[in-house]
């Protein structure tokens, strides 16, 4: 019902009042206390695996072989939240790569011929895709609880894991640049500076980050860790993010502190490296963007 309602609201804005009731109910019914975290692997029921293929929203799963490469190797994990009333319907899921070091390319993470990292050599957990499965639950947040729970579980299971990061797109980077009449630099160094500037300085009118993925991870308590040029060479990655990706770091000791700083003061926590990249732009041709808001 709510999925249909969300479609009608575009033409009938008054229905938004009805949606408030849905949101109130769903926030109660799908409270974190009711949700069950379950691992998804190659041995999971086919009907659930089909839903993972269907609802993957970040990096399309092209085939069953592609899905197997993401689930079967010992250096890959997938977790999903389920509700007891919907035991065969994942609500949201996250895909994780266990790596040695922080990766800088999604193509290398998903490469068909990549070498599997022995589990005793991994030191980093990379959250490279998080996808909602139920359009009727849009706006009901599960992602923050999901990532934090997975971080806690993996840190207990694999004591050698020291770093928890994402490898995330910048889905509105090109849109923002086009809106401001900014030509994306062809030089990798300049593009990296512009991307860092975008992540730290591009804001909406409410002073929140323009980038929706940044808003999500920063609100969760992550920090902007590193920017990578040429990290996503797919058509979608080039069209939306100019091929740029970013690592958001989940520091177990600072998640709560980072969340409070962002939620209460709207301050973006970033590594010194990213801060330096953003500041460097002030001396270049795009410094006039500093005070613009979108």
């Amino acid at each position: 019902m709510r999925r249909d309602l969300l479609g009608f609201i575009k033409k009938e804005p008054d229905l938004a009042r009805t949606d408030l009731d849905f949101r109130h109910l769903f926030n109660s019914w799908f409270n974190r206390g009711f949700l069950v975290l379950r691992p998804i692997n190659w041995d999971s029921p086919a009907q659930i695996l089909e839903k993972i293929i269907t609802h993957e929203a970040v990096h399309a799963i092209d085939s069953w072989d592609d899905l197997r490469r993401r689930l079967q190797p010992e250096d890959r994990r997938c977790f999903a939240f389920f509700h007891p009333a919907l035991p065969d319907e994942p609500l949201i899921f996250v895909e994780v790569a266990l790596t040695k070091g922080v990766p800088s390319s999604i193509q290398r993470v998903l490469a068909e011929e990549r070498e599997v990292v022995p589990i005793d050599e991994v030191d980093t957990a990379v959250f490279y895709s998080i996808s909602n499965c139920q359009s009727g639950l849009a706006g009901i947040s599960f992602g923050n609880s999901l990532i934090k729970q997975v971080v806690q579980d993996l840190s207990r299971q694999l004591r050698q894991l020291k770093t928890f990061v994402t490898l995330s797109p910048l889905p509105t980077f090109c849109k923002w640049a086009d809106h401001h009449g900014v030509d994306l630099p062809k030089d990798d160094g300049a593009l990296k500076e512009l991307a860092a500037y975008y992540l730290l300085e591009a804001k909406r009118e409410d002073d929140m980050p323009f980038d929706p993925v940044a808003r999500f991870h920063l609100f969760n308590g992550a920090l902007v860790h590193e920017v990578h040029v040429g990290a996503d060479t797919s058509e979608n990655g080039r069209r939306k993010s100019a091929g740029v990706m970013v690592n958001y770091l989940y520091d177990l000791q600072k998640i709560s502190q980072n969340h409070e700083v962002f939620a209460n003061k709207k301050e973006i926590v970033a590594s010194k490296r990213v801060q330096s990249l953003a500041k460097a732009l002030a001396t270049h041709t795009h410094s006039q963007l500093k005070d613009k808001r979108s």
Side-chain angles (χ1 to χ4, degrees):
M1 288 177 65
R2 183 165 185 263
R3 180 188 61 195
D4 293 342
L5 176 65
L6 291 175
F8 295 144
I9 286 176
K10 297 176 182 178
K11 296 182 178 179
E12 300 289 340
D14 287 345
L15 290 175
R17 290 176 294 181
T18 304
D19 187 50
L20 291 176
D21 291 332
F22 273 104
R23 292 173 69 96
H24 175 74
L25 289 171
F26 286 176
N27 276 312
S28 298
W29 294 347
F30 293 91
N31 181 279
R32 172 64 186 95
F34 295 120
L35 302 183
V36 178
L37 181 70
R38 287 161 49 185
I40 305 295
N41 54 51
W42 189 240
D43 296 322
S44 297
Q47 64 190 48
I48 292 179
L49 297 183
E50 287 178 343
K51 290 180 173 66
I52 298 300
I53 293 175
T54 299
H55 294 292
E56 165 57 58
V58 185
H59 305 291
I61 299 174
D62 299 324
S63 64
W64 283 95
D65 284 340
D66 188 6
L67 179 65
R68 185 178 69 248
R69 289 192 294 271
R70 302 191 192 196
L71 299 181
Q72 193 175 49
E74 65 175 351
D75 63 349
R76 291 295 182 266
R77 299 287 191 275
C78 181
F79 299 89
F81 268 152
F82 291 80
H83 191 282
L86 301 165
D88 298 321
E89 290 284 344
L91 305 179
I92 188 172
F93 64 90
V94 62
E95 297 171 71
V96 186
L98 303 178
T99 64
K100 191 174 182 178
V102 177
S104 59
S105 166
I106 190 61
Q107 273 70 43
R108 285 199 288 272
V109 168
L110 299 177
E112 183 174 348
E113 302 299 330
R114 72 174 187 84
E115 291 187 11
V116 175
V117 182
I119 203 65
D120 60 346
E121 294 183 13
V122 302
D123 58 17
T124 303
V126 184
F127 305 95
Y128 65 88
S129 179
I130 184 166
S131 300
N132 290 296
C133 301
Q134 308 296 327
S135 56
L137 293 176
I140 312 301
S141 179
F142 310 117
N144 55 351
S145 298
L146 176 61
I147 289 183
K148 291 175 184 177
Q149 186 66 61
V150 171
V151 167
Q152 293 173 5
D153 287 4
L154 285 175
S155 63
R156 286 194 297 264
Q157 296 169 13
L158 301 170
R159 298 288 184 176
Q160 72 272 28
L161 290 177
K162 303 300 182 184
T163 305
F164 297 88
V165 298
T166 74
L167 186 57
S168 302
L170 288 69
T172 53
F173 181 42
C174 291
K175 177 182 178 181
W176 170 83
D178 181 67
H179 176 75
H180 288 299
V182 176
D183 293 327
L184 295 173
K186 295 183 179 180
D187 175 76
D188 285 354
L191 181 60
K192 193 170 187 175
E193 290 177 357
L194 182 63
Y197 176 90
Y198 162 77
L199 288 166
L200 301 191
E201 300 293 342
K203 305 291 182 66
R204 304 187 308 190
E205 291 183 356
D206 61 1
D207 211 35
M208 293 293 281
F210 187 74
D211 191 271
V213 176
R215 293 196 299 271
F216 173 78
H217 289 296
L218 293 168
F219 188 80
N220 287 351
L223 64 85
V224 185
H225 178 63
E226 184 57 283
V227 176
H228 303 286
V229 173
D232 186 356
T233 58
S234 68
E235 180 181 350
N236 190 56
R238 292 193 301 269
R239 178 170 54 85
K240 293 185 175 181
S241 305
V244 181
M245 300 191 79
V246 55
N247 300 127
Y248 295 99
L249 174 68
Y250 282 81
D251 184 333
L252 297 177
Q253 305 302 318
K254 297 181 179 179
I255 286 177
S256 296
Q257 176 184 330
N258 293 343
H259 164 77
E260 291 299 323
V261 169
F262 181 72
N264 296 329
K265 300 180 180 179
K266 298 181 181 179
E267 293 181 4
I268 297 174
V269 183
S271 67
K272 291 183 179 179
R273 167 66 175 161
V274 174
Q275 292 179 35
S276 296
L277 287 168
K279 289 178 181 178
L281 193 68
T283 62
H284 296 164
T285 56
H286 299 295
S287 59
Q288 70 272 16
L289 291 172
K290 188 173 179 69
D291 296 320
K292 288 191 176 182
R293 294 293 182 265
S294 300

